[in-house]
Amino acid sequence: MAGSDNNSSVSGTSSHDEKQNWAKSPSTVFNHFATSGISVAVATSITHPLDVLKVRLQMQLVGQKGPLSGMGQLFLSVVKNEGPKSLYLGLTPALTRSVVYGGLRLGLYEPSKHACDRAFGSSNVLVKIASGMFAGAFATALTNPMEVLKVRLQMNSDMGKGGPILELRRTISEEGIKALWKGVGPAMARAAALTASQLATYDETKQILVKCTSLKEGFHLHLMYGSLVIFISPYLS
């Protein structure tokens, strides 16, 4: 029994040390940021045409009246009138934002949760929600200028010819640097809710599945709770 208690004590100490080492290791933190950013960038590259269509659908007939186009009709119109390349307008700022936003949003979650654990001695679901909200809001506040540039380039193919640097200079010279943070309030609120719902649900579901099933850390476990988050997070955010 004493040996068992000693083993449990050693195991608990080891687990605590691992958490501390994780937080103190620059290479581990960097890997977390890098893999998160690259993952979001890859997803952005694949789905960018849909994002262009989304922005065009949201902004069509602004200040005017008339029949609205559906996604299929708009897609054909954009490709016919502006060429297939127009579906990738604003890709450069989109990818830049993805790397920074994705890296910060996902990479800051674990350090934030660890800091709360050390400060309050708890990492319950409320701490996870707060950590997700902070990570999402902070990442969005920092990357909002790239989002503004992306949307402006997506809306106008003529702007896209000059590139993001020219559009950045034009925006600052004509509207001031504050224009780069237009819409940052709603964007931060949305990112906070989205990140909290995704990561807190992801984290809690993982712990429940590990505790209540025979699943162990690995592909099948990640697939199951990742799929559950995809269904749950839109309703929570």
Side-chain angles (χ1 to χ4, degrees), residues 16-94:
H16 181 68
D17 290 341
E18 284 179 6
K19 288 184 178 180
Q20 288 188 327
N21 291 336
W22 180 93
K24 293 179 182 178
S25 171
S27 61
T28 304
V29 173
F30 173 78
N31 289 338
H32 224 66
F33 275 75
T35 53
S36 300
I38 291 172
S39 299
V40 177
V42 171
T44 297
S45 300
I46 297 172
T47 61
H48 191 75
L50 294 174
D51 192 44
V52 172
L53 293 176
K54 179 203 74 174
V55 170
R56 297 283 185 99
L57 285 168
Q58 289 175 334
M59 298 300 295
Q60 65 177 317
L61 298 179
V62 173
Q64 304 175 17
K65 293 183 179 180
L68 296 174
S69 301
M71 188 173 74
Q73 184 180 355
L74 180 64
F75 170 78
L76 295 175
S77 175
V78 169
V79 172
K80 180 180 178 181
N81 297 327
E82 303 176 37
K85 287 185 178 180
S86 62
L87 295 173
Y88 289 91
L89 289 170
L91 181 60
T92 300

Side-chain angles (χ1 to χ4, degrees), residues 33-165:
F33 275 75
T35 53
S36 300
I38 291 172
S39 299
V40 177
V42 171
T44 297
S45 300
I46 297 172
T47 61
H48 191 75
L50 294 174
D51 192 44
V52 172
L53 293 176
K54 179 203 74 174
V55 170
R56 297 283 185 99
L57 285 168
Q58 289 175 334
M59 298 300 295
Q60 65 177 317
L61 298 179
V62 173
Q64 304 175 17
K65 293 183 179 180
L68 296 174
S69 301
M71 188 173 74
Q73 184 180 355
L74 180 64
F75 170 78
L76 295 175
S77 175
V78 169
V79 172
K80 180 180 178 181
N81 297 327
E82 303 176 37
K85 287 185 178 180
S86 62
L87 295 173
Y88 289 91
L89 289 170
L91 181 60
T92 300
L95 288 175
T96 305
R97 178 185 179 275
S98 294
V99 173
V100 180
Y101 172 76
L104 287 173
R105 187 176 80 100
L106 301 178
L108 282 177
Y109 174 71
E110 287 292 342
S112 299
K113 190 174 69 171
H114 176 78
C116 289
D117 190 12
R118 295 197 59 166
F120 306 111
S122 174
S123 58
N124 59 32
V125 67
L126 294 178
V127 168
K128 293 172 184 177
I129 290 173
S131 299
M133 291 180 69
F134 166 75
F138 180 81
T140 296
L142 192 65
T143 59
N144 198 72
M146 288 170 264
E147 177 72 11
V148 170
L149 291 177
K150 181 201 74 166
V151 171
R152 293 190 177 203
L153 292 171
Q154 287 175 333
M155 281 300 301
N156 194 330
S157 58
D158 292 333
M159 288 182 180
K161 295 177 182 178
I165 300 299

